[in-house]
Amino acid sequence: MDNMGEWEQNNLISELKQGRELAKQLQIHMNIPSSSHDQTRAMLLQKIISSYEKSLSILNFSSSSASGEPQITGLQIESPPSLNGSPRSEDSDRDAKDQEPKDGSRKRKTFPRWTNRVRINPVTGLEGTLDDGFSWRKYGQKDILGARYPRGYYRCTHRNVQGCLATKQVQRSDEDPQVFEITYRGNHTCAQASKANIFAPSAQPENQEPNNNSTEPQQQQQQQQQQYYQPQLTQQQPEDALWNLRQSLKVLTEDLEVHHQSFPPFNFPSSSNMTTETQVFSPSMAINNNSTFTGNFSPSFLPSAASGTNYNFSASPSGINSSFQNLEQSSDLNELISAATSATNSPTVGLDFPFGNIEYDGSFTFDNSNSGSFPSFPKSN
DNA sequence: TTCATTTGACCCCG
DNA sequence: CGGGGTCAAATGAA
């Protein structure tokens, strides 16, 4: 905790520097007309915004947490240990809990968590967003007291292999069935994160295709969707331009994050998210001008987005919408959701999400609860 | 065959 | 003790 301040400071400084650099680059690019540079400009702009957002969020957190809670940011740092060592598999959770006692505080600390609320618009039909571009594997579903819809539990597909402890919970809002609350815990430490974030081609294990830089996200989403709606798709490339944009956007945020995080663990998605969300929609969108995107770029996963990418470009076929509605009515949505959320790798084919577009509600929340202490071990509860 | 989801049981925390 | 979260066997899909 002591370090937190320092850490935050460093992050803040690096964010600001980053923003400055990006602004300079933007300035340079402003003078260059070609369309190809438009993208670059958009990216830079997005990055700059992200940078500011992060900076602000860092400040906010620090001030807010004053009381003693460490910040999310800080927390994140800690988590890595587990990762580094030997990745534990599922069992680890329990074990971890047991083991924790060392420090003295045996609270089970959880990772920082933040919640995004995503709204799906049946009308528009884009999709998206339930997934953040990461591959998630559903490991449970539970009916929650007082909640009409069950909560789905997801963990990173690479947990066992890479020790990625990121998890998320997806719950549909009672009041507004079109709204889903996605709670993320922990950040991705797996290769996905880097991939997703970076759009550089990286060699990746598993299933990615060489073609797209970051295909994963797309793939994932689709897969899920596929299960329910479609047979598999193979990956395809979405519209290049859009695609690039998104990627770039991601990259940006991620980039930033990466910087600070020298440590593995968490990026603060939230931070980026928070601000980002606003940014994302408006500015970036505008910049892009894609009719396609339209709202969809959803912020949904800004948080994770930072890490992942989502893309849903899809031109969604009309069919989806209808299906979506149906689902909605039935309770199938949940399933869909889960599917959506957990993506594995799916190819992108467009469209796929039954849901339609998702919009960011704009709300997201952080839980600092855990911040009180860091667990040596990251598992969530 | 491999991998993901489903689902009931189990465990821990409050 | 109850609820939330996780495990893991069973099942299904590709």
Side-chain angles (χ1 to χ4, degrees):
Chain A
M1 320 203 161
D2 307 343
N3 301 339
M4 304 291 294
E6 213 178 303
W7 189 77
E8 290 179 351
Q9 243 181 32
N10 291 333
N11 283 340
L12 183 59
I13 292 170
S14 71
E15 280 300 331
L16 292 172
K17 285 182 178 177
Q18 176 101 19
R20 185 182 57 190
E21 282 308 307
L22 292 168
K24 287 179 181 177
Q25 289 179 39
L26 180 59
Q27 188 174 38
I28 294 170
H29 283 277
M30 290 299 277
N31 300 325
I32 304 171
S34 83
S35 59
S36 63
H37 286 278
D38 283 346
Q39 283 189 12
T40 305
R41 283 192 282 260
M43 287 178 44
L44 290 170
L45 203 58
Q46 185 65 38
K47 287 184 178 180
I48 292 168
I49 293 169
S50 295
S51 188
Y52 277 108
E53 296 293 354
K54 288 184 179 182
S55 298
L56 291 171
S57 58
I58 290 170
L59 290 172
N60 289 335
F61 284 112
S62 43
S63 56
S64 64
S65 62
S67 53
E69 288 197 354
Q71 302 306 330
I72 297 172
T73 33
L75 294 180
Q76 300 171 351
I77 299 173
E78 278 97 328
S79 28
S82 58
L83 300 178
N84 300 341
S86 48
R88 308 184 172 186
S89 36
E90 314 165 337
D91 308 343
S92 60
D93 297 349
R94 294 181 181 177
D95 297 349
K97 294 177 183 178
D98 299 345
Q99 298 174 351
E100 290 195 0
K102 320 173 174 177
D103 295 347
S105 64
R106 60 169 39 246
K107 324 171 158 185
R108 64 154 67 182
K109 309 251 159 155
T110 19
F111 280 97
R113 49 186 214 177
W114 61 97
T115 303
N116 284 341
R117 297 186 67 197
V118 179
R119 165 169 282 152
I120 298 171
N121 290 340
V123 178
T124 20
L126 285 184
E127 54 169 75
T129 17
L130 287 181
D131 60 266
D132 29 14
F134 287 100
S135 301
W136 298 99
R137 177 168 175 173
K138 188 172 186 176
Y139 64 86
Q141 177 169 303
K142 265 219 127 174
D143 288 324
I144 300 302
L145 205 70
R148 193 179 308 172
Y149 304 97
R151 176 178 298 169
Y153 298 87
Y154 302 82
R155 69 181 183 206
C156 179
T157 303
H158 307 293
R159 183 174 184 173
N160 297 331
V161 178
Q162 301 181 30
C164 181
L165 299 172
T167 62
K168 74 173 178 180
Q169 298 177 0
V170 177
Q171 177 142 35
R172 190 176 177 187
S173 170
D174 292 352
E175 279 113 54
D176 200 343
Q178 295 184 342
V179 173
F180 293 88
E181 294 187 0
I182 303 174
T183 300
Y184 293 89
R185 283 188 185 172
N187 229 4
H188 286 270
T189 54
C190 58
Q192 274 186 115
S194 55
K195 294 177 182 180
N197 300 331
I198 299 171
F199 69 129
S202 47
Q204 285 308 335
E206 307 192 332
N207 15 347
Q208 289 187 341
E209 286 195 357
N211 299 342
N212 297 339
N213 309 344
S214 57
T215 51
E216 287 188 351
Q218 301 174 350
Q219 298 174 349
Q220 299 172 352
Q221 295 177 350
Q222 295 177 351
Q223 282 189 347
Q224 300 171 348
Q225 297 171 355
Q226 295 173 1
Q227 297 177 346
Y228 299 89
Y229 296 92
Q230 306 174 348
Q232 305 174 342
L233 306 181
T234 38
Q235 306 169 346
Q236 296 181 347
Q237 310 169 345
E239 305 69 74
D240 302 340
L242 295 178
W243 181 244
N244 294 337
L245 261 179
R246 289 198 170 187
Q247 291 184 341
S248 57
L249 293 177
K250 283 183 169 187
V251 172
L252 298 178
T253 51
E254 294 185 337
D255 235 352
L256 297 177
E257 294 178 354
V258 171
H259 293 303
H260 342 208
Q261 307 172 351
S262 2
F263 347 69
F266 248 90
N267 309 327
F268 206 166
S270 51
S271 56
S272 54
N273 301 341
M274 305 181 68
T275 47
T276 332
E277 44 181 326
T278 42
Q279 306 169 357
V280 174
F281 292 99
S282 45
S284 58
M285 311 271 322
I287 296 171
N288 300 343
N289 303 337
N290 297 325
S291 47
T292 21
F293 271 124
T294 58
N296 143 9
F297 188 4
S298 50
S300 45
F301 307 81
L302 297 181
S304 47
S307 38
T309 12
N310 329 312
Y311 330 140
N312 310 303
F313 293 118
S314 41
S316 45
S318 52
I320 293 172
N321 297 338
S322 57
S323 57
F324 167 52
Q325 295 177 348
N326 296 339
L327 293 176
E328 223 186 359
Q329 297 176 351
S330 59
S331 53
D332 296 343
L333 262 186
N334 295 321
E335 296 179 356
L336 293 177
I337 296 171
S338 56
T341 22
S342 59
T344 18
N345 340 302
S346 41
T348 60
V349 173
L351 352 171
D352 334 38
F353 226 37
F355 301 113
N357 293 345
I358 299 175
E359 297 179 351
Y360 201 32
D361 218 357
S363 53
F364 52 85
T365 4
F366 291 86
D367 264 357
N368 293 337
S369 46
N370 44 350
S371 43
S373 48
F374 312 92
S376 44
F377 215 35
K379 241 308 230 50
S380 47
N381 285 357

